[in-house]
Amino acid sequence: MDSFEWLINLFTSTDSVAHIALLYAIVIAVGVYLGKIKFFGISLGVTFVLFAGIVAGHFQFTAPTDILTFIQDFGLILFVFMIGLQVGPGFFESFGKAGIKLNGLAASAILLNILVMFACYYIFFDTSDSQNLPMMVGTLYGAVTNTPGLGAANEALNTVFGQNVPQIASAYACAYPLGVLGIIGATILVKYICKVRLEKEEARLAAMEETAANKKPYKMHLEVTNKYLEGKTLLQVHDFLNRDFVVSRIVHEGELSIPNRHTVFHLGDQMLIVCAEADQEAITAFIGPKLDIDFEQQDQPLVSKRILITNPKINGKTLGAMHFSSVHGVNVTRVTRHGMDLFASASLPLQVGDRIMVVGPEDAVDSVANKMGNSIKRLDAPNIATIFVGIIIGIIFGSLPISMGLPVPMKLGIAGGPLIIAILIGRYGYKIKLVTYTTTSANMMLREIGLVLFLASVGIKAGAGFFETVVEGNGLLYVLTGFLITIVPILIVGPIARIRYKFNYFTIMGMIAGTYTDPPALAYANSVCSKEAPAVGYSTVYPLAMFLRIFTAQILILFFCG
């Protein structure tokens, strides 16, 4: 028996580092594997780590509370900061014409979630019990499947309640599974309420894609036949047309060259032009007819090459400021960012991770490649310094007390502060020489590590009193009210988006999934649509929705639970 004492101590000695590491490893591994099991075709993913932690805590497989709290808070900081870096570049760009409407609908749904929560609280619960409203906040964030909101609420509760913090993760765990199913079910119900036919929606998307194609880069070969252009420089022609276009090559009297702003046009010149497709007719009408040739196939010393920007010094500089044609003798015809082709206008700021198409003599192109970095290895590792500098600023920013007539000054906390700073750094970091680029896989890895550490800690802490709270307490009420919080806003906002604003149903599906920050709902939307509309709807509202979920979590606790 003594020979196994070391093993028993490993599982029971809660103060040892080995025990704590083993605890987290078991809870996270079991939770992740169980989260892959599908119920009715839907899996709960890494959120199952929370349930694994609850079971471990219930059977007293735990660790010291201060250790659990530190790991919980550090995981939350890492999680929300990486989310902020991810959504930052597109946060402000999401407020286009359609984006404003979609984000307005998303914000309305978030407000309705909160209103339904309060209605359920006053109808079903004893309002004289100070524990019930915090538990309803936990139910709210389980119903909308938003883990960062749970973390923000939990952190705000520490400020208000001190040591006697209500274990709102119990209510969250009750509402979460039916929340995932309810989002998808309510989205399907919207289809029947609005009498949507999926085939027609697909056809409309196809027609919209043809229109959108006019915004993509367009390449054409033209001959100068407009007598007005004789003797005019490229800059003069560009200013007169007042449209963005790039002349990447020009043939004058049989000689092929790379033009710059001072290049003079002559009748009979042939040129390769890249522009937005919507502008190609106007440019053709002004300069001259299209030619059925391809300069790239001719025997000439020019090459085209995609160059990867990995030099931090280039981050944030505009194409115009780089003087590619006048200094380097090459032209940049397009920029690819996150898989999307962008037109190479002079005002476009370059970012680390962009790929630029450069045309010019081979030695000049190679010189530009060296200047840009063009080293994939540089992008393999995340910019750790930027991440932790951002976290430092975020924690300080989140700790600033804001007096708003509350019992205690309001603070954005370790969830809201790092999130806002990460969004700002993700969007504007290049202006202060911070390189924010991380590969998608690196961002996801750091994000998931933070999430599972947070969920495991919350679950283990909540596990000790979970069954008393749920089975002997208000567990069924949390499930019922959570279901109402999930579906009622969708059944109101979904038909409004369709009937009032005429949005495509697939876009609405993505918008709802993004509003609830729910990947399973997006996965379902993608499974019934062959186009990108669900993903576009999701990504348009996700940044604002994530911010509002985290921010309102703290407002609810500090305003109403203090």
Side-chain angles (χ1 to χ4, degrees), residues 117-118 121 131-144 146 149-150 152-154 157 168 171-172 478 485 552-554 556-557 560-561:
M117 181 207 75
F118 275 111
Y121 168 64
Q131 298 282 309
N132 281 336
L133 186 54
M135 295 301 285
M136 280 304 297
V137 174
T139 304
L140 164 67
Y141 283 93
V144 300
N146 187 264
L150 170 67
N154 220 33
L157 280 170
I168 63 174
Y172 175 94
Y478 297 146
I485 292 169
T552 54
Q554 296 176 96
L556 286 170
I557 296 298
F560 298 101
C561 300

Side-chain angles (χ1 to χ4, degrees), residues 4-300:
F4 290 100
E5 187 175 347
W6 65 271
L7 185 60
I8 296 172
N9 288 335
L10 186 60
F11 280 87
T12 58
S13 180
T14 59
D15 290 329
S16 74
V17 174
H19 168 84
I20 297 168
L22 183 68
L23 166 65
Y24 275 92
I26 291 174
V27 168
I28 292 171
V30 170
V32 170
Y33 279 119
L34 291 178
K36 293 181 180 180
I37 299 173
K38 292 187 177 182
F39 302 92
F40 305 103
I42 301 168
S43 64
L44 296 183
V46 295
T47 306
F48 219 102
V49 171
L50 174 68
F51 297 95
I54 287 172
V55 172
H58 175 70
F59 288 105
Q60 303 302 311
F61 185 31
T62 184
T65 303
D66 55 344
I67 299 294
L68 292 174
T69 301
F70 165 73
I71 296 176
Q72 169 189 311
D73 291 346
F74 178 73
L76 177 63
I77 291 169
L78 191 60
F79 177 49
V80 298
F81 190 83
M82 297 313 296
I83 284 177
L85 277 187
Q86 179 199 20
V87 304
F91 186 81
F92 299 99
E93 280 73 10
S94 66
F95 298 102
K97 290 182 180 178
I100 289 177
K101 293 178 182 177
L102 283 174
N103 278 290
L105 289 166
S108 300
I110 292 169
L111 177 61
L112 284 170
N113 289 134
I114 295 171
L115 293 177
V116 174
M117 181 207 75
F118 275 111
C120 291
Y121 168 64
Y122 286 110
I123 293 170
F124 297 112
F125 291 88
D126 178 8
T127 57
S128 64
D129 187 342
S130 63
Q131 298 282 309
N132 281 336
L133 186 54
M135 295 301 285
M136 280 304 297
V137 174
T139 304
L140 164 67
Y141 283 93
V144 300
T145 69
N146 187 264
T147 308
L150 170 67
N154 220 33
E155 199 243 330
L157 280 170
N158 287 323
T159 303
V160 175
F161 285 85
Q163 296 297 318
N164 302 313
V165 179
Q167 294 298 323
I168 63 174
S170 300
Y172 175 94
C174 289
Y176 188 94
L178 208 55
V180 175
L181 294 174
I183 294 167
I184 296 173
T187 303
I188 294 171
L189 199 53
V190 169
K191 180 181 73 171
Y192 291 104
I193 292 172
C194 300
K195 300 178 181 179
V196 171
R197 292 180 59 186
L198 299 184
E199 313 81 51
K200 284 189 175 181
E201 300 303 292
E202 286 265 7
R204 287 175 183 169
L205 286 177
M208 290 171 63
E209 282 186 355
E210 289 183 11
T211 303
N214 288 333
K215 298 180 181 179
K216 296 178 180 177
Y218 183 82
K219 182 172 67 175
M220 57 186 175
H221 300 82
L222 303 182
E223 180 176 354
V224 179
T225 57
N226 184 352
K227 294 180 180 179
Y228 170 80
L229 301 183
E230 177 65 37
K232 299 292 190 299
T233 65
L234 175 56
L235 179 61
Q236 289 174 321
V237 175
H238 190 279
D239 290 344
F240 183 84
L241 262 175
N242 196 29
R243 295 173 191 266
D244 270 332
F245 66 91
V246 173
V247 180
S248 63
R249 303 175 189 179
I250 188 168
V251 176
H252 175 63
E253 295 181 351
E255 183 178 342
L256 184 67
S257 63
I258 300 291
N260 57 42
R261 61 172 60 193
H262 304 298
T263 298
V264 176
F265 281 27
H266 299 283
L267 290 176
D269 285 353
Q270 298 175 348
M271 57 190 63
L272 173 60
I273 288 180
V274 181
C275 63
E277 189 165 349
D279 295 333
Q280 57 103 359
E281 288 188 8
I283 293 172
T284 302
F286 185 68
I287 293 178
K290 295 180 182 179
L291 299 173
D292 189 21
I293 61 172
D294 189 347
F295 296 158
E296 294 176 341
Q297 299 301 317
Q298 294 184 11
D299 183 19
Q300 40 81 19

